[in-house]
Amino acid sequence: MINKNISFVCAVVVSVVLVEIFNSTKPKHPYAGLNIEQLVTKYEYPIEKHEVETDDGYILSIHRIPHGPEKTPTKRTPVLFMHGFTQSATDFINLGPNKALSFLLVDKGYDVWLGNARGTTWSRKHKFLNPNKDKQFWDYSLDEIGYYDVPAFIDYISEVTGADSLHYVGYSQGTTVFFILGSDKPEYMKKIKLMTALAPAMFLKDPAGPVGVLIRFRMIMDWFLDIFNFLDVLSENSFISSYLRHICNEHSLFVELCLHHTFLLHGYSYEQINKTELSVLYSNTPAGASPRQVKHIAQLIDSGVFSRYDFGKEENLRKYGQKRPPAYDVLKVNAPIALYYSSNDWVINVKNVEKISRTLPNVVKSYKVPLEAFNHNDFIYAKNVVDLLYAEVVNEILKY
Ligand SMILES: *[C@@H]1O[C@H](CO)[C@@H](O)[C@H](O)[C@H]1NC(C)=O
């Protein structure tokens, strides 16, 4: 009897594996597996890659789409995009022309720059630290991305283009690092024409969905990250990323699993996702993060206070001269800011956006996406993202 059951289970497993292998040979989206440079070239837009060195020795890549397929001589205003957690510049171009916000702005006459934060696929480089060996390379949280990376990009863009001000577009973590920059180096705020905040992440208390419950156990996650002594997490070649790339395509038997586990984090609805495009969207994502970055985000969710990384009492005393990590002084973030948010975003709840709106001194617009189902991921990947969101975003940018 037992033997029979075991044989049956084995037969099922073998069949599933065979079907999955067979499915993986089916033609995926023709652009699946391409990187940002190959994709933009396929779309027949020019793409450049520049390297920028930060004050603490990181060598970051920034991608640029300087103009459209036809070279036009007009002087273009630069726009700096900063991506979300474990994402990269690629997430801003994946949807392609006439759809991705980056291409819409190129077509409107802007000079688009797409930053890659330290530690992500295109920014794993340092003057003397080796990301594959040196733990020290990964000793950073959101604090350093805001304090070093973003201003390095802004300075570099000014230097190359001669422009003394630019637009900034941040998505999720890409907004957090802007708020950090404004608090730490407020002199940069006068260089910003308008900051477009897609799913603004400053106060993270009480996220909906499983994260809201799991955060109570964040000590276990910290402990897990510590005992395994990971250098980095969710990098492009990690096991989890490879697994996501495998199941996140329309032919996988497990595509529902892909949709469920990513959307459990972002807001439970995937009516706005185009399954045919999943294999493109996941070709370059996740793109990596540091364990300290993960812990920092967990701290922000847990405390609800927008503050620096918490090293623990003793180390905090040494670094900050106080036991608790100091809160960021966001009153200094006085660039004009447009906030875009949605009610089904499980990462950024509406109450927290309202709190940002009350706290920041120069909020010029607050726009709620007019679709109940719109989730955190939809800000960059929704099928109808142009009608629901980007048309509004572009109109606002054109005013500044
Ligand atoms: C979904 O993606 C495919 C492939 O890119 C495209 O042909 C199709 O038009 C898309 N569907 C919608 C509803 O956007």
Side-chain angles (χ1 to χ4, degrees):
M1 191 62 195
I2 285 173
N3 268 345
K4 231 180 177 177
N5 284 344
I6 290 176
S7 318
F8 178 73
V9 170
C10 286
V12 169
V13 170
V14 168
S15 318
V16 166
V17 169
L18 287 177
V19 172
E20 190 67 1
I21 289 174
F22 172 72
N23 284 350
S24 71
T25 66
K26 286 186 186 165
K28 290 187 191 138
H29 192 290
Y31 293 175
L34 301 186
N35 68 34
I36 181 168
E37 293 174 353
Q38 296 163 326
L39 275 168
V40 174
T41 306
K42 284 261 184 210
Y43 293 133
E44 297 179 344
Y45 280 65
I47 174 116
E48 299 171 3
K49 190 189 82 169
H50 297 250
E51 282 191 340
V52 179
E53 196 181 304
T54 66
D55 285 345
D56 60 345
Y58 286 78
I59 298 164
L60 312 174
S61 294
I62 184 162
H63 288 98
R64 179 191 194 189
I65 309 176
H67 53 79
E70 307 295 330
K71 190 168 170 56
T72 49
T74 52
K75 188 143 180 60
R76 291 171 166 257
T77 302
V79 187
L80 169 60
F81 281 74
M82 280 303 288
H83 58 77
F85 174 64
T86 72
Q87 298 192 330
S88 68
T90 321
D91 292 275
F92 285 122
I93 61 100
N94 271 334
L95 286 182
N98 300 317
K99 214 154 173 214
L101 184 57
S102 55
F103 286 111
L104 296 180
L105 290 176
V106 173
D107 293 346
K108 287 281 181 203
Y110 290 90
D111 174 12
V112 165
W113 295 78
L114 308 159
N116 293 278
R118 59 183 61 195
T120 59
T121 307
W122 294 87
S123 291
R124 294 170 62 104
K125 215 168 161 185
H126 189 279
K127 268 196 325 200
F128 48 85
L129 296 172
N130 178 346
N132 300 318
K133 291 208 187 86
D134 299 321
K135 182 95 184 138
Q136 220 188 319
F137 179 95
W138 299 99
D139 278 349
Y140 64 84
S141 65
L142 300 172
D143 295 339
E144 285 78 11
I145 300 175
Y147 187 85
Y148 294 108
D149 297 4
V150 184
F153 288 141
I154 294 176
D155 290 343
Y156 183 83
I157 294 168
S158 300
E159 205 182 294
V160 171
T161 63
D164 51 18
S165 64
L166 45 68
H167 273 277
Y168 184 99
V169 176
Y171 163 61
S172 193
Q173 178 192 283
T175 68
T176 317
V177 295
F178 181 91
F179 300 138
I180 290 174
L181 170 71
S183 311
D184 277 347
K185 299 182 171 174
E187 64 275 18
Y188 278 86
M189 294 297 97
K190 60 180 187 297
K191 296 172 190 265
I192 306 298
K193 289 181 186 294
L194 173 69
M195 187 266 194
T196 296
L198 306 175
M202 180 187 286
F203 305 114
L204 297 180
K205 193 83 182 159
D206 299 327
V211 173
V213 178
L214 289 174
I215 201 65
R216 290 181 209 151
F217 306 98
R218 84 174 168 84
M219 292 307 165
I220 297 175
M221 181 194 75
D222 286 4
W223 171 80
F224 180 81
L225 288 170
D226 290 341
I227 58 159
F228 285 97
N229 203 23
F230 293 109
L231 283 175
D232 54 337
V233 293
L234 296 166
S235 65
E236 197 176 332
N237 298 316
S238 64
F239 172 76
I240 296 181
S241 307
S242 310
Y243 154 82
L244 283 175
R245 268 199 299 282
H246 181 72
I247 66 165
C248 291
N249 80 78
E250 57 180 325
H251 301 305
S252 174
L253 290 175
F254 306 106
V255 64
E256 294 296 323
L257 198 62
C258 161
L259 292 168
H260 281 67
H261 80 69
T262 56
F263 291 87
L264 269 177
L265 299 176
H266 292 132
Y268 200 79
S269 155
Y270 41 85
E271 71 169 65
Q272 281 294 317
I273 198 78
N274 184 344
K275 274 195 200 174
T276 317
E277 287 177 342
L278 273 180
S279 55
V280 181
L281 308 188
Y282 279 91
S283 291
N284 298 280
T285 304
S290 77
R292 191 181 286 178
Q293 201 178 336
V294 179
K295 290 183 196 174
H296 194 184
I297 293 170
Q299 291 168 3
L300 297 180
I301 298 173
D302 198 18
S303 73
V305 180
F306 184 46
S307 55
R308 286 166 209 277
Y309 183 73
D310 186 351
F311 290 91
K313 273 182 201 146
E314 267 173 44
E315 190 62 17
N316 287 343
L317 268 174
R318 240 192 321 274
K319 296 232 180 210
Y320 307 129
Q322 59 186 72
K323 284 185 200 157
R324 311 266 318 139
Y328 277 108
D329 183 3
V330 293
L331 284 175
K332 292 183 182 154
V333 188
N334 60 8
I337 294 179
L339 305 171
Y340 299 88
Y341 61 103
S342 72
S343 49
N344 188 42
D345 183 338
W346 280 8
V347 180
I348 311 295
N349 78 39
V350 174
K351 275 198 186 121
N352 284 329
V353 179
E354 287 164 353
K355 189 168 166 195
I356 298 177
S357 185
R358 286 195 306 271
T359 310
L360 287 176
N362 198 4
V363 172
V364 295
K365 185 187 180 78
S366 208
Y367 174 86
K368 187 170 167 196
V369 177
L371 176 76
E372 274 303 307
F374 204 86
N375 70 34
H376 193 63
N377 223 28
D378 291 333
F379 284 87
I380 44 168
Y381 285 146
K383 273 187 226 170
N384 303 331
V385 71
V386 178
D387 290 344
L388 289 167
L389 175 64
Y390 293 165
E392 192 75 24
V393 170
V394 171
N395 273 337
E396 190 65 24
I397 288 178
L398 285 170
K399 292 185 198 161
Y400 286 80

